[in-house]
């Protein structure tokens, strides 16, 4: 795996000029054998003579990086010149109708598979450069965060995505791997589906920590996780009935944001239905200074410091930040196709784009640049024939002066640019 990563990192040449545009160098971060594996698994190039999976990946990735809102924008952008088409690794620029058919008919799962393959391939590099602060008591644990984000759609165009009477929408259920700082599972469904039904798998290997909001609260799921020796940290619902077994002492001169730490038992009817009332749980009340409010956190771990539980739940903001960055910097709110297959394909190519950009930001920029600023720099330089290393390391938002050589020809001085 390490050799593969080093081989892929060799794409970052250090000279200024390159015979490929920046966008092609980003695309080349997708190892050909991973794409071939995905294509083979889903037979996505079967009966396709011109617009193959690679062509669709290039078209959709170009649309993401250039924030194209229509297929016409993508077609015009790629077809700007024969040289540019060739340098993207294409035989021809895609027509609107061809792209429309591909988005509708090519199985979206080929892009989901490719995303997961890239995540595994670059996993070591991604986890090495997260710059995430370690929580000492859980530093060797697997931490997963689950949340969802809703994207509104026009019901007249996306009639399959029914949400409310006059409104459509989809919900992106996302499982965030805290070690990778990226999603390792994404399920796309109708916005009307409740969060607690967004994932099929609800239990994990022993010792896994799951962080969720109270929208995922489900007594049968909690029971299953306790049986599987998973550790959950979530918010308790306001109408949850419980009794206090013991109130734990709080430290005198530290962790002043911890207001209460107590052991409880759930005594409500639904808890009794799954025999959960015998389980001792822990309730920690935390003051959130940023929002001037309190959070009631519940967990089945009775040993950690209360501050560790609070710090873990705070990590849930990481996935909310991801949703915000994804929507602000990539194209997941305006879709170039209206079928379920087209929408899911576009979302997974957006995730592939996010992964590649984050890889570049962490490994080459060392995480020194904010994601939004980094994406904008790449976007501005997409069609320039410069190395990624030069774009990332050398181009800065500073004033630059040109260097000139004065040539006295007996007339006026003529500048000669280097």
């Amino acid at each position: 795996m390490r050799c593969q990563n080093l081989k892929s990192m060799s794409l970052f040449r250090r000279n200024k000029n390159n015979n490929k545009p920046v966008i092609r160098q980003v695309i080349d971060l997708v190892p050909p054998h991973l794409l071939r594996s995905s294509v083979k698994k889903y037979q996505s190039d079967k009966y396709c003579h011109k617009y193959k999976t690679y062509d669709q990946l290039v078209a959709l990735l170009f649309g993401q990086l250039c924030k194209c809102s229509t297929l016409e924008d993508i077609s015009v952008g790629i077809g700007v010149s024969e040289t540019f088409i060739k340098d993207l690794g294409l035989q021809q620029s895609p027509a609107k109708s061809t792209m429309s058919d591909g988005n509708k008919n090519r199985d979206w799962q080929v892009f989901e598979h490719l995303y997961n393959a890239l995540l595994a391939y670059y996993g070591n590099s991604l986890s090495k450069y997260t710059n995430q602060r370690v929580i000492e008591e859980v530093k060797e644990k697997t931490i997963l965060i689950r949340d969802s984000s809703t994207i509104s759609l026009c019901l007249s165009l996306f009639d399959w995505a029914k949400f409310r009477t006059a409104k459509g929408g989809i919900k992106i259920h996302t499982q965030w791997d805290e070690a990778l700082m990226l999603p390792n599972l994404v399920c796309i469904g109708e916005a009307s589906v409740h969060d607690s039904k967004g994932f099929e798998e609800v239990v994990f290997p022993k010792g896994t920590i799951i962080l969720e909001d109270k929208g995922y609260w489900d007594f049968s799921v909690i029971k299953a996780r306790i049986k599987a020796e998973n550790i959950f940290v979530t918010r308790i619902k306001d109408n949850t009935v419980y009794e206090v077994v013991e109130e734990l002492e709080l430290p005198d001169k530290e962790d002043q944001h911890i207001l209460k730490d107590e052991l409880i038992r759930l005594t409500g009817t639904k808890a009794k239905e799954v025999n959960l009332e015998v389980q001792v749980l822990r309730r920690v009340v935390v003051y959130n200074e940023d929002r001037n409010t309190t959070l009631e956190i519940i967990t089945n771990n009775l040993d950690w410091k209360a501050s560790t539980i609070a710090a873990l739940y705070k990590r849930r903001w990481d996935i909310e930040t991801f949703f915000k960055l994804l929507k602000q910097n990539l194209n997941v709110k305006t879709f170039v196709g209206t079928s379920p297959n087209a929408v899911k394909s576009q979302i997974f190519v957006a995730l592939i784009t996010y992964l590649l950009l984050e890889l570049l930001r962490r490994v080459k920029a060392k995480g020194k640049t904010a994601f939004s600023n980094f994406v904008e720099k790449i976007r501005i330089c997409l069609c320039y024939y410069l190395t990624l290393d030069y774009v990332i390391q050398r181009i800065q938002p500073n004033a630059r002066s040109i260097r000139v050589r004065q040539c006295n020809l007996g007339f006026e001085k003529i500048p000669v640019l280097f």
Side-chain angles (χ1 to χ4, degrees):
M1 179 67 73
R2 179 169 293 180
C3 292
Q4 290 177 326
N5 287 341
L6 290 174
K7 184 177 180 181
S8 301
M9 290 299 107
S10 67
L11 293 167
F12 305 121
R13 297 168 58 191
R14 291 194 170 276
N15 60 304
K16 176 180 177 180
N17 298 315
N18 199 298
N19 59 359
K20 296 178 182 179
V22 168
I23 184 172
R24 174 62 189 276
Q25 295 172 68
V26 174
I27 294 169
D28 282 348
L29 291 172
V30 179
H33 73 275
L34 294 186
L35 180 59
R36 287 195 298 268
S37 176
S38 298
V39 169
K40 182 179 180 181
K41 180 176 177 63
Y42 290 98
Q43 295 293 297
S44 57
D45 280 348
K46 194 174 183 179
Y47 308 122
C48 296
H49 301 291
K50 292 184 178 179
Y51 193 62
K52 296 185 178 295
T53 305
Y54 175 80
D55 299 61
Q56 186 176 2
L57 175 65
V58 171
L60 290 177
L61 199 145
F62 179 90
Q64 288 295 330
L65 289 171
C66 293
K67 298 197 81 171
C68 298
S69 57
T70 65
L71 294 175
E72 183 176 0
D73 294 341
I74 297 173
S75 181
V76 170
I78 293 178
V80 66
S81 75
E82 290 184 12
T83 301
F84 189 63
I85 296 169
K86 180 181 179 181
D87 290 343
L88 286 176
L90 304 176
Q91 296 296 318
Q92 64 181 44
S93 62
K96 287 169 52 180
S97 58
T98 304
M99 286 189 287
S100 179
D101 291 341
N103 291 341
K104 183 178 180 180
N105 299 320
R106 179 170 284 117
D107 192 342
W108 61 271
Q109 289 180 291
V110 69
F111 299 114
E112 178 190 37
H113 186 271
L114 180 59
Y115 172 78
N116 291 325
L118 286 168
L119 198 64
Y121 185 80
Y122 286 117
N124 289 341
S125 297
L126 288 165
S127 59
K128 183 178 179 181
Y129 295 100
T130 58
N131 294 326
Q132 181 70 286
R133 186 176 179 181
V134 175
I135 302 174
E136 285 299 324
E137 279 193 289
V138 295
K139 63 181 179 181
E140 302 298 332
K141 299 287 187 179
T142 298
I143 302 174
L144 301 176
I145 308 173
R146 288 188 160 192
D147 204 351
S148 69
S149 181
T150 301
I151 297 175
S152 298
L153 299 173
C154 177
L155 190 57
S156 61
L157 294 176
F158 302 85
D159 55 358
W160 51 271
K162 295 181 180 179
F163 183 25
R164 298 193 178 113
T165 305
K167 188 177 182 180
I170 57 172
K171 190 175 285 187
I172 305 177
H173 301 273
T174 303
Q175 180 174 285
W176 180 264
D177 188 321
E178 189 69 0
L180 297 173
M181 291 293 285
L182 281 168
N184 66 356
L185 178 63
V186 174
C187 300
I188 304 170
E190 296 180 8
S192 56
V193 176
H194 194 270
D195 284 350
S196 61
K197 308 298 181 183
F199 297 100
E200 292 184 5
E201 296 293 330
V202 295
V203 295
F204 307 90
K206 179 181 176 180
T208 302
I209 302 171
I210 307 103
L211 314 180
E212 294 172 326
D213 197 11
K214 59 184 178 182
Y216 288 88
W217 179 269
D218 184 277
F219 289 103
S220 59
V221 170
I222 289 173
K223 181 70 174 181
R225 287 178 178 168
I226 291 173
K227 184 177 180 181
E229 297 187 58
N230 297 158
I231 303 170
F232 62 84
V233 178
T234 184
R235 284 175 64 190
I236 191 169
K237 281 192 172 182
D238 297 335
N239 60 352
T240 301
V241 183
Y242 63 89
E243 65 178 11
V244 178
V245 176
E246 179 184 354
E247 187 163 342
L248 305 178
E249 291 187 13
L250 300 177
D252 291 332
K253 298 181 180 181
E254 59 182 17
D255 304 330
Q256 296 300 304
H257 61 299
I258 306 297
L259 304 182
K260 188 169 290 189
D261 185 6
E262 56 191 15
L263 303 181
I264 66 171
R265 281 196 179 95
L266 303 177
T267 58
T269 303
K270 292 185 178 180
K272 291 180 179 179
E273 288 175 357
V274 294
N275 298 319
L276 196 59
E277 76 278 8
V278 297
Q279 181 70 40
V280 176
L281 302 174
R282 191 171 175 189
R283 175 177 173 266
V284 177
V285 182
V286 182
Y287 175 67
N288 187 332
E289 185 176 358
D290 296 335
R291 302 186 181 185
N292 191 27
T293 186
T294 58
L295 300 175
E296 296 183 46
I297 304 171
I298 187 170
T299 179
N300 59 325
N301 184 280
L302 309 182
D303 302 320
W304 294 334
K305 295 178 181 178
S307 58
T308 296
I309 295 170
L312 273 171
Y313 188 78
K314 191 175 182 180
R315 288 288 169 91
R316 211 183 59 80
W317 309 148
D318 291 342
I319 194 171
E320 294 188 355
T321 300
F322 160 73
F323 285 134
K324 181 180 179 181
L325 293 175
L326 184 71
K327 291 180 178 181
Q328 286 180 343
N329 297 283
L330 296 174
N331 203 3
V332 294
K333 294 194 293 185
T334 302
F335 292 94
V336 295
T338 58
S339 68
N341 197 77
V343 169
K344 291 179 180 180
S345 295
Q346 185 171 327
I347 290 174
F348 275 102
V349 173
L351 290 172
I352 291 171
T353 308
Y354 188 98
L355 185 155
L356 297 178
L357 291 170
E358 187 66 353
L359 174 70
L360 289 168
R361 188 185 74 87
R362 292 186 200 175
V363 175
K364 294 304 295 179
K366 305 299 182 185
K368 297 176 183 178
T369 308
F371 183 80
S372 296
N373 294 339
F374 181 81
V375 174
E376 201 60 37
K377 181 195 285 190
I378 297 293
R379 179 173 288 131
I380 290 169
C381 299
L382 276 180
C383 299
Y384 287 94
Y385 286 70
L386 302 169
T387 63
L388 279 169
D389 185 83
Y390 179 82
V391 171
I392 294 170
Q393 305 284 16
R394 301 289 298 278
I395 297 179
Q396 301 296 333
N398 302 321
R400 295 186 64 184
S401 300
I402 61 172
R403 292 180 297 164
V404 298
R405 181 172 69 237
Q406 302 296 339
C407 298
N408 190 352
L409 301 179
F411 302 100
E412 60 186 46
K413 293 180 180 179
I414 301 175
V416 179
L417 303 183
F418 289 89

